[in-house]
Amino acid sequence: MTLQRMSPRVEPVGEASVPVFPNGRSPRPLAWLVIAFALLPASLAFVDDRVGFRLVMGALALTILTVGVGLHVMLGAVEPRVVSIDAAARALRFAPSAAATAPTLVMAFALLLPALAQLVVDVAALPTMPASFLLSRGPYALGALGVVILAVRLWQTRVPAGLELSPEGLRGIRGRARVEWRWEDLAEAGVVAGPAAKLSLVSRGGTGSPVLAPAIALGSDPNQVAAIVRYYLERPAERTVLADGGIAAVRRVEDALRERTT
């Protein structure tokens, strides 16, 4: 997979965009707060002389640090007005980068560290704080959470990452819903706020809820994706361009919308 980042001008004239981030501001600074929180267990591990306690606190500090860095990387993987295209695909595929997907796996493995540290403490009877349910079972709860996340991510690999548009229809979206639709099955493509922008796909004649996909699942600004999907939904004759690859398909939408405004 070869990803190409593009900043196309494809929003229809007069249509307001939904902010990609809540309140229009990137939440990346919150990741720094998580990273700073790692200082607490790190400090406790440094000043305490009990080997078992230091081992668990050190593992917890490393877990929190990994989660904070992972969130920072993930939140920086999407930008307003930018789409991420798989340039090697023989279709238009909006695909998230490794920066948008890999941190989840890394954070899940990091959640296992306190559980492993606590297991070593329990088996080796290393000196630690007086036993309490929270301190002795909390690390195992974090480990269980990590296992659940890994299992869910493994199960989600059955669905292609991102959203692919081909002359025949649409495929995706990992982590959201399994979309295997012909163009005739799609009734509407739009953007909703919840609280940040999400792509909304409504099936024709369906009674279920719309398929919603945030920017992180697409690797792209949902406003741009929705405008491109609508273009090909409303113009069946243009769908053959999708077989020429993502870059050509996006450029076609740009040129057509530019002609309408000149």
Side-chain angles (χ1 to χ4, degrees), residues 12-234:
V13 176
E15 183 171 317
S17 296
V18 179
V20 173
F21 302 117
N23 301 318
R25 298 180 179 179
S26 173
R28 291 184 80 183
L30 295 177
W32 289 110
L33 293 179
V34 177
I35 294 173
F37 188 68
L39 293 174
L40 176 59
S43 300
L44 293 175
F46 181 77
V47 300
D48 201 285
D49 59 357
R50 289 167 293 188
V51 177
F53 182 73
R54 297 182 69 178
L55 182 62
V56 174
M57 288 297 104
L60 182 59
L62 183 57
T63 296
I64 296 173
L65 178 62
T66 302
V67 170
V69 173
L71 289 174
H72 192 270
V73 173
M74 287 178 62
L75 295 173
V78 294
E79 299 178 47
R81 302 185 63 84
V82 173
V83 295
S84 178
I85 302 294
D86 182 1
R90 300 302 299 173
L92 169 53
R93 183 186 175 206
F94 301 100
S97 65
T101 56
T104 302
L105 295 176
V106 176
M107 289 188 287
F109 279 111
L111 288 171
L112 302 177
L113 297 179
L116 294 176
Q118 185 64 48
L119 180 62
V120 171
V121 171
D122 291 341
V123 172
L126 298 177
T128 185
M129 289 186 67
S132 70
F133 182 82
L134 178 62
L135 292 176
S136 62
R137 295 295 173 260
Y140 291 126
L142 291 177
L145 177 60
V147 171
V148 170
I149 294 175
L150 289 172
V152 169
R153 295 295 292 180
L154 180 62
W155 177 257
Q156 289 175 343
T157 57
R158 300 173 304 112
V159 180
L163 176 65
E164 180 180 282
L165 311 182
S166 69
E168 293 75 30
L170 304 86
R171 295 178 66 241
I173 306 169
R174 182 178 298 171
R176 299 293 112 184
R178 192 183 188 98
V179 174
E180 292 278 357
W181 295 353
R182 300 172 301 169
W183 284 103
E184 293 77 15
D185 298 327
L186 178 63
E188 181 183 350
V191 184
V192 298
K198 292 182 180 180
L199 174 69
S200 173
L201 301 177
V202 180
S203 62
R204 191 177 302 279
T207 57
S209 301
V211 174
L212 301 179
I216 199 71
L218 303 167
S220 307
D221 184 338
N223 296 282
Q224 309 274 17
V225 176
I228 294 171
V229 173
R230 278 199 302 266
Y231 177 85
Y232 288 106
L233 173 63
E234 297 167 358

Side-chain angles (χ1 to χ4, degrees), residues 226-248:
I228 294 171
V229 173
R230 278 199 302 266
Y231 177 85
Y232 288 106
L233 173 63
E234 297 167 358
R235 298 166 180 81
E238 296 282 341
R239 294 173 192 163
T240 55
V241 180
L242 293 168
D244 295 333
I247 296 177

